[in-house]
Amino acid sequence: MTLPKNYQAQKDALKEKVILISGGGSGIGKTAGLIFAEHGADLILLGKNKTNLESTYEEFLDRNLKPPLLHIMDLEQSNESNFQEINNVIEKEFGKLDGLLNNAGILGDKTPLENYKIDVWKKVFDINVHASFLLTKSLLPVLKAAENSSIIFTSSGVGKVGKAYWGAYS
């Protein structure tokens, strides 16, 4: 299905929908969150930077949008039980999850491969790949509880066409 160029979503298109956004404190995640809230969604913003999340929260208030729930979590340092905790909170607060936007990611170093540090390589994969897997896996129970849930993974064009020196990211 292709949307027409002039498509405009209805103002309440996401009313009563619960959506979690990883990397929700800045960039694409923050922008998506604000747009989803403008269309009526209840949001959970997950991120590692408390200052960014709180700043985004204030922006929701400034725009008279329903404030999101904030969940501070360092995806690199988290384990399966940390991810399960998110499912438990959503189940208790909402009983379901209509959408998951796996958006959190880091670039890592832009350097020739022979100079790439293994700890940076592992960090990129832990955040960009492993955390998305664990978050999705842990949230399947609340996603299945929703009538018609969706999971979206953001990605970059360098995942399809690599760029020199982009290492683990591409």
Side-chain angles (χ1 to χ4, degrees):
M1 179 175 117
T2 304
L3 295 174
K5 283 186 177 183
N6 60 350
Y7 174 79
Q8 291 290 317
Q10 294 179 354
K11 206 65 170 154
D12 65 349
L14 298 174
K15 186 178 179 182
E16 299 181 17
K17 302 294 184 189
V18 180
I19 302 170
L20 184 141
I21 302 171
S22 69
S26 63
I28 293 169
K30 173 184 172 178
T31 301
L34 291 166
I35 292 169
F36 294 170
E38 288 172 358
H39 289 85
D42 291 314
L43 296 172
I44 303 115
L45 301 180
L46 184 146
K48 72 174 181 177
N49 187 308
K50 181 180 178 184
T51 303
N52 286 353
L53 287 171
E54 289 174 345
S55 174
T56 298
Y57 184 92
E58 290 300 321
E59 193 165 339
F60 274 73
L61 297 179
D62 291 345
R63 293 186 183 198
N64 293 317
L65 298 170
K66 183 174 181 179
L69 292 180
L70 304 180
H71 190 87
I72 300 167
M73 183 173 178
D74 183 345
L75 296 175
E76 181 190 13
Q77 303 300 322
S78 299
N79 59 45
E80 265 190 275
S81 65
N82 300 127
F83 289 98
Q84 186 58 46
E85 177 186 320
I86 298 169
N87 181 77
N88 296 343
V89 168
I90 294 170
E91 186 174 44
K92 181 180 177 188
E93 292 292 320
F94 301 103
K96 65 170 184 159
L97 184 63
D98 297 285
L100 168 60
L101 176 56
N102 277 306
N103 173 70
I106 62 167
L107 177 60
D109 293 340
K110 290 201 306 187
T111 185
L113 195 58
E114 62 264 18
N115 297 333
Y116 215 96
K117 296 180 178 107
I118 188 63
D119 59 324
V120 176
W121 183 275
K122 287 180 178 181
K123 182 177 182 174
V124 171
F125 271 81
D126 282 344
I127 294 170
N128 297 5
V129 179
H130 302 142
S132 291
F133 161 72
L134 287 168
L135 186 58
T136 302
K137 178 183 175 189
S138 70
L139 294 176
L140 284 174
V142 288
L143 285 159
K144 289 178 179 179
E147 187 176 319
N148 190 17
S149 61
S150 297
I151 302 169
I152 298 171
F153 292 82
T154 58
S155 65
S156 169
V158 297
K160 292 181 179 180
V161 179
K163 289 186 178 181
Y165 308 126
W166 280 53
Y169 186 80
S170 69

